[in-house]
Amino acid sequence: MTKFKVLMISTTIPEIGLRLLKTECDVVVSEGNKNAILQNIEGVDALFWWSKLKLDKEILDKAGPKLRVIGTMSAGYDNIDVEEIKKRGIKFGNTPNVLNDAVADTAVLLTLAASRRFTEGRQAIERCLWKHESGAQWLLGQDITGSTVGIVGLGGIGLAIAKRLKCFNVAKFVYTGHREKPEGKIFGAEFVSLDELLKISDFVIASVPLTKETDQMFNAEAFAKMKKTAVFVNISRGGIVNQPDLIVALKQNKIFAAGLDVMTPEPLPSDHELLKLPNCVLMPHLGSATEKTRSKMAELTANNILKALNGEPMLAPVV
Ligand SMILES: O=CC(=O)O
């Protein structure tokens, strides 16, 4: 029996992904750059995708008509042309839920770090600005205890963030999104409009996918609605923020601080303005980057692909 042919992008996938696929498929492992992908993709039955590159018509055309299954090892798929995939009748799945805890941990880390002036404190040590006489009001931060936390997008990750922050004795949780959610009610969070959330929240935490609707939703207008003491955290996608507007808001202290795991572009150039802001904490898109989480993501992606190749529903289908 001829085996299915799978192209795995990239060479850095946790071992379990390759091991599972190899039980039923011939696997070619490719670097994640476009040239390598285009060189290797022709004639494959399935694609294991781990790349920030656009998975577009050009790549799908080069793959040809045999390609009928794609699994992305990510929860988000804003870099993937889902409409084109649908049109071609290709089965497509992602890795939701398995990364909720790791990403929520990252959100908590950024919330704490931004509110307690982590970047500025570290810079102060490096620049010999930490003095005995620095005084009792030096580098004061914002408290989570007693605060109002606003979650924009109460999906699996948003809820996991709220659950974690509850332990910090938050006074009130609010959230916004398309609709009120039963899990919001059970948790004890109030559903409010985006405007209301921006107005009343001490912490605004974004956990929405990047779509046409959320593209640059955090812009000058949104930052102007926030409290001057507000801390903004983004663990979803850089594209939901108008970054020049955020930089202005941080420079002019229109908001207190930001904690970002995601930004534009990625990778961020080392001389980027964001890195020069003392009230901005940055991580290089590490939300799901723990050993266990990445292994679970690799396993789910491989199983999505194997199921679909065998004519069964994927464990986590998108289309
Ligand atoms: O950003 C990470 C993901 O979408 O999985």
Side-chain angles (χ1 to χ4, degrees):
M1 200 177 79
T2 51
K3 283 183 161 181
F4 298 119
K5 194 170 164 198
V6 182
L7 178 62
M8 177 181 268
I9 318 282
S10 71
T11 55
T12 62
I13 305 303
E15 180 265 332
I16 186 161
L18 190 56
R19 184 152 43 85
L20 282 170
L21 286 177
K22 276 189 166 169
T23 57
E24 296 183 41
C25 310
D26 286 327
V27 186
V28 174
V29 181
S30 165
E31 301 279 345
N33 64 71
K34 191 134 184 189
N35 275 348
I37 295 170
L38 291 174
Q39 254 171 40
N40 288 302
I41 201 167
E42 207 171 330
V44 301
D45 299 288
L47 183 57
F48 183 120
W49 186 260
W50 166 261
S51 171
K52 297 282 184 271
L53 278 182
K54 275 240 161 289
L55 175 41
D56 57 9
K57 197 165 175 305
E58 184 188 359
I59 291 177
L60 295 170
D61 281 345
K62 185 74 183 178
K66 277 188 82 184
L67 179 62
R68 57 195 177 88
V69 176
I70 299 174
T72 182
M73 195 178 105
S74 63
Y77 44 85
D78 45 278
N79 58 329
I80 292 174
D81 190 341
V82 178
E83 279 316 303
E84 195 60 39
I85 285 174
K86 233 195 242 176
K87 233 195 273 171
R88 294 168 191 238
I90 295 170
K91 299 262 181 290
F92 173 54
N94 67 339
T95 62
N97 304 324
V98 291
L99 43 62
N100 291 358
D101 288 332
V103 178
D105 290 349
T106 305
V108 174
L109 169 61
L110 289 168
T111 301
L112 287 168
S115 65
R116 299 303 296 273
R117 306 171 80 145
F118 187 85
T119 302
E120 209 175 344
R122 165 90 200 213
Q123 286 172 350
I125 302 173
E126 285 168 355
R127 295 171 191 170
C128 302
L129 297 172
W130 183 20
K131 307 259 167 43
H132 284 297
E133 60 277 15
S134 286
Q137 302 225 31
W138 188 56
L139 292 187
L140 300 186
Q142 304 296 334
D143 285 294
I144 300 184
T145 302
S147 70
T148 296
V149 170
I151 310 267
V152 181
L154 197 73
I157 294 173
L159 194 60
I161 295 169
K163 283 181 177 165
R164 280 159 172 71
L165 290 179
K166 200 165 200 163
C167 305
F168 290 82
N169 294 329
V170 166
K172 182 173 174 148
F173 283 96
V174 294
Y175 71 101
T176 194
H178 283 136
R179 71 196 88 80
E180 193 163 5
K181 295 192 158 186
E183 50 274 38
K185 199 164 238 148
I186 293 164
F187 176 77
E190 189 185 334
F191 181 67
V192 295
S193 67
L194 176 63
D195 271 8
E196 177 71 2
L197 183 145
L198 296 173
K199 200 167 99 192
I200 66 173
S201 296
D202 299 299
F203 295 87
V204 175
I205 305 180
S207 61
V208 283
L210 173 59
T211 62
K212 280 196 189 99
E213 194 188 347
T214 62
D215 191 19
Q216 310 222 355
M217 69 182 283
F218 292 96
N219 52 20
E221 208 183 317
F223 296 123
K225 287 175 186 155
M226 291 187 200
K227 296 183 181 181
K228 271 181 87 96
T229 50
V231 172
F232 173 68
V233 172
N234 184 11
I235 47 76
S236 50
R237 285 292 182 269
I240 68 168
V241 173
N242 180 314
Q243 205 162 268
D245 287 358
L246 173 63
I247 290 170
V248 170
L250 289 169
K251 271 190 172 163
Q252 299 182 354
N253 300 311
K254 287 176 196 275
I255 62 170
F256 185 77
L260 311 175
D261 185 41
V262 288
M263 56 222 74
T264 315
E266 291 182 11
L268 195 74
S270 63
D271 59 351
H272 196 277
E273 223 179 336
L274 272 181
L275 281 155
K276 300 188 177 109
L277 299 173
N279 53 352
C280 186
V281 180
L282 295 170
M283 289 175 70
H285 202 151
L286 295 177
S288 65
T290 70
E291 290 179 12
K292 281 189 185 150
T293 301
R294 286 281 162 83
S295 282
K296 282 187 208 162
M297 290 166 75
E299 184 178 358
L300 178 51
T301 308
N303 280 326
N304 270 341
I305 290 171
L306 290 172
K307 289 266 182 204
L309 284 173
N310 287 310
E312 293 167 43
M314 283 188 173
L315 300 175
V318 177
V319 294

